[in-house]
Amino acid sequence: MMDEILKKSMRKCLIDLAKNKERMRYQEFSDKFQLGYDMHDIEDRKKIGEILGEISETEHSERKPLLSVFIQHEDGLPGLGFFKMAEELGRYIPTFMDKKQFVSREMSYAYNYWNKHKE
């Protein structure tokens, strides 16, 4: 179980990214919160994915955008775990749209949502 204060700061960081339609790399996110993860290590990638997934699943349950969409690889896409989670939540249907379209749509949704609502 992750420290709730840390999780709140991470969520706030993601909301700030959403408000400004900015992206952040996984390693940068890990470093910002001093998680000590190395994105070259598959286990660390899984751990950061679980943290981000937890935040996005909570947001989804409150009918809010998937905030972890703003944490991306160099190719401008989140990791595979993001798409798997989005598909399980019924937000992403691979046969209906490609990953780039989905990411762009989800980022716009988050940008619009967080510029109209308070945290």
Side-chain angles (χ1 to χ4, degrees):
M1 179 74 188
M2 166 155 283
D3 176 282
E4 286 306 308
I5 294 165
L6 179 58
K7 205 150 110 184
K8 278 185 178 159
S9 328
M10 290 176 165
R11 180 176 178 269
K12 167 98 175 74
C13 169
L14 294 170
I15 289 169
D16 289 344
L17 290 174
K19 284 179 177 176
N20 298 303
K21 231 183 203 177
E22 291 174 346
R23 306 157 191 244
M24 187 180 278
R25 303 274 175 258
Y26 284 90
Q27 189 64 61
E28 193 183 346
F29 187 78
S30 170
D31 295 348
K32 180 176 176 69
F33 293 100
Q34 301 172 341
L35 301 176
Y37 294 159
D38 173 6
M39 293 304 105
H40 295 101
D41 180 319
I42 192 155
E43 289 307 311
D44 283 355
R45 287 200 307 265
K46 281 182 192 168
K47 288 177 198 165
I48 202 165
E50 285 168 16
I51 293 166
L52 290 164
E54 219 176 280
I55 293 168
S56 273
E57 285 172 18
T58 302
E59 294 297 296
H60 174 78
S61 72
E62 295 171 2
R63 300 180 185 273
K64 296 175 186 167
L66 304 177
L67 285 172
S68 58
V69 72
F70 294 95
I71 307 300
Q72 303 177 353
H73 292 295
E74 287 171 23
D75 65 1
L77 291 175
L80 295 176
F82 171 80
F83 294 101
K84 186 173 186 271
M85 173 202 60
E87 191 174 354
E88 286 167 3
L89 296 174
R91 296 279 279 266
Y92 171 59
I93 303 157
T95 53
F96 181 67
M97 69 177 60
D98 69 25
K99 288 178 178 174
K100 280 197 165 127
Q101 284 177 305
F102 176 67
V103 166
S104 174
R105 190 186 74 175
E106 200 63 31
M107 285 176 73
S108 292
Y109 172 40
Y111 171 78
N112 292 327
Y113 182 91
W114 286 111
N115 279 293
K116 287 179 187 144
H117 296 83
K118 295 215 183 302
E119 286 166 40

